[in-house]
Amino acid sequence: MIWKPNVTVAAVLEQNGKFLLVEEETSDGLRFNQPAGHWEANETLAAGAARETLEESGYDFLPEYLIGIYRWSAPGSQTTYLRFAFGGRISAHHPERKLDTGIVRAVWMTPDEIRATQARHRSPLILRCIEDYLAGKRYPLDLITHYE
């Protein structure tokens, strides 16, 4: 068997001291996550983060920097995730947009509210990405080369 991680992209978005999360239906019940999902063929990692943010939250996201790259193995499964988390800014909101299947709502939460809801996080990466953002971790997008 060949091992292969699942590559995901995520957006860490902050406005007025609050961070954008989505509440989504999972096999473990309602959970919080950043707007995030699987990277798709023929898109850059940053474009994937922008696409997932729009699909899951209704916000147009302009990635401006990489916050970090994270490896996480989900307990009780054979699945390993490789997450690329991006920061940047929101350029528009489309509140009328239908959100992805399984997404209940987009919600803005303070870091303390996010810490208080850890038991309902989809993974430990949610808080880790926010803590890294708050610590000032920013890497230029040209750190990632998409070689054609």
Side-chain angles (χ1 to χ4, degrees):
M1 180 173 107
I2 297 175
W3 176 83
K4 184 177 93 170
N6 287 278
V7 177
T8 61
V9 290
V12 179
L13 294 168
E14 183 264 337
Q15 280 190 341
N16 304 316
K18 293 186 175 186
F19 289 86
L20 179 64
L21 296 182
V22 295
E23 190 173 25
E24 58 187 340
E25 297 170 355
T26 73
S27 59
D28 295 322
L30 287 178
R31 295 287 185 255
F32 289 111
N33 198 2
Q34 271 104 8
H38 292 274
W39 182 38
E40 294 184 359
N42 302 315
E43 69 183 355
T44 66
L45 290 159
R51 174 186 50 77
E52 287 290 348
T53 301
L54 179 61
E55 292 173 354
E56 293 191 355
S57 72
Y59 285 93
D60 287 333
F61 168 51
L62 301 172
E64 296 176 328
Y65 48 85
L66 181 69
I67 294 169
I69 303 168
Y70 307 84
R71 183 196 56 83
W72 177 65
S73 296
S77 84
Q78 303 267 338
T79 306
T80 297
Y81 295 94
L82 185 63
R83 173 188 266 210
F84 291 78
F86 294 88
R89 60 189 165 88
I90 291 171
S91 62
H93 183 217
H94 309 279
E96 74 290 348
R97 184 181 170 92
K98 184 178 181 335
L99 303 181
D100 264 2
T101 302
I103 302 294
V104 175
R105 65 184 174 132
V107 59
W108 291 91
M109 298 172 74
T110 67
D112 286 341
E113 290 169 331
I114 294 166
R115 290 180 192 107
T117 60
Q118 284 184 70
R120 292 190 53 218
H121 290 184
R122 183 106 189 234
S123 82
L125 299 180
I126 290 106
L127 185 57
R128 177 60 191 265
C129 289
I130 288 169
E131 298 291 5
D132 285 351
Y133 171 90
L134 291 170
K137 292 189 177 184
R138 310 280 191 280
Y139 304 96
L141 291 179
D142 66 5
L143 180 72
I144 302 168
T145 300
H146 288 277
Y147 187 77
E148 299 299 329

